Amino acid sequence: MKNTPIKALIFDKDGTLFEFAATWEAWAQAMLLRLTSGDRVRAAQIGAQIGFDLDSRSFQNDSIVIAGTAGEIADVIAPLCPELSRDAVFELINDEAGAAPQIEAVPLGPFLRDLRSRGLKTGVATNDAEAPARKHLMAAGVVDHLDFIVGFDSGHGGKPAPGQLLAFCAATGCDPAHVVMVGDSTHDLRAGRAAGMRTIGVLTGMAGREILAPLADVIFPDIGHIPGWLDGPV
């Protein structure tokens, strides 16, 4: 599997660096209640359209929030909120995303410092917007440990298209064959394959092993297993 040297890793953010449920269930509840001025009945109705159950605070496995972009979420919600423009809905989504609690999948500072001590380039490619993504990474204190941060609105498209990952390669000078894409969704892994990278699936998101297995070279419970994998036989 590791038939060429690994020189870089690029990570999805939500469900990979941060646990998905702890972050985005809180975000969805806050966003929907703010959007509807606290009207729980209407909030629940809108939540159902994005695959979120307000009462149980849980996502359906096919929710657009799991792998979709903030823009795609806004496109679903905006027609349900005729009192707001699509841009206003988008801004509200991003504002609440920036304030969402972040639970690190593993202690990110030591993890990323270890990768950089090995001479590896590191980056983040997310279908979140870039501004809230940077807020989350700054709050975790790891922006300085990353060579590249890209969101769906950074000018390179969103996953599962490979544009974000190819931009990372261009910025770092790494050939895609020497890069590993790490993610928790099929969007992440399809983007990695489309870019010509190896792929690692992690189980800190909503997708199970059986969903990720066809697209992943290896699957781990979380990103904390990656250093041991790197130390393994080539």
Side-chain angles (χ1 to χ4, degrees), residues 186-198:
T186 56
H187 271 39
D188 301 322
L189 304 184
R190 289 185 190 282
R193 289 286 175 88
M197 298 176 177
R198 279 166 284 184

Side-chain angles (χ1 to χ4, degrees), residues 5-128:
I6 294 170
K7 297 183 179 180
L9 296 101
I10 184 160
F11 298 89
D12 171 57
K13 179 172 68 72
D14 303 308
T16 301
L17 297 181
F18 301 101
E19 294 182 11
F20 182 89
T23 297
W24 292 101
E25 288 168 2
W27 164 83
Q29 177 176 270
M31 182 272 294
L32 290 167
L33 291 175
R34 178 177 167 187
L35 189 69
T36 60
S37 300
D39 183 338
R40 290 191 64 88
V41 172
R42 188 166 172 233
Q45 292 170 343
I46 296 172
Q49 299 304 307
I50 61 169
F52 180 75
D53 186 304
L54 186 67
D55 291 331
S56 65
R57 276 186 39 137
S58 62
F59 285 101
Q60 297 173 7
N61 288 337
D62 61 352
S63 168
I64 191 173
V65 176
I66 293 173
T69 68
E72 290 168 339
I73 298 167
D75 288 340
V76 173
I77 291 176
L80 307 174
C81 301
E83 70 278 14
L84 296 172
S85 68
R86 190 267 185 194
D87 287 347
V89 171
F90 179 72
E91 289 176 10
L92 188 151
I93 287 170
N94 278 345
D95 189 51
E96 286 297 334
Q102 300 292 308
I103 307 299
E104 298 175 15
V106 303
L108 293 179
F111 172 75
L112 290 170
R113 283 195 296 271
D114 174 69
L115 295 183
R116 289 175 73 84
S117 74
R118 299 165 181 261
L120 298 171
K121 300 291 187 181
T122 56
V124 171
T126 176
N127 273 355
D128 196 1

Side-chain angles (χ1 to χ4, degrees), residues 172-229:
T172 57
C174 294
D175 187 295
H178 297 278
V179 180
V180 180
M181 173 65 204
V182 185
D184 68 295
S185 76
T186 56
H187 271 39
D188 301 322
L189 304 184
R190 289 185 190 282
R193 289 286 175 88
M197 298 176 177
R198 279 166 284 184
T199 56
I200 292 176
V202 291
L203 301 177
T204 38
M206 300 294 288
R209 182 180 296 271
E210 70 283 359
I211 299 297
L212 301 179
L215 297 166
D217 293 314
V218 63
I219 298 175
F220 295 127
D222 58 55
I223 58 173
H225 294 258
I226 291 175
W229 179 76

Side-chain angles (χ1 to χ4, degrees), residues 156-178:
H156 307 289
K159 297 169 290 185
Q164 293 180 337
L165 309 189
L166 296 176
F168 170 71
C169 291
T172 57
C174 294
D175 187 295
H178 297 278

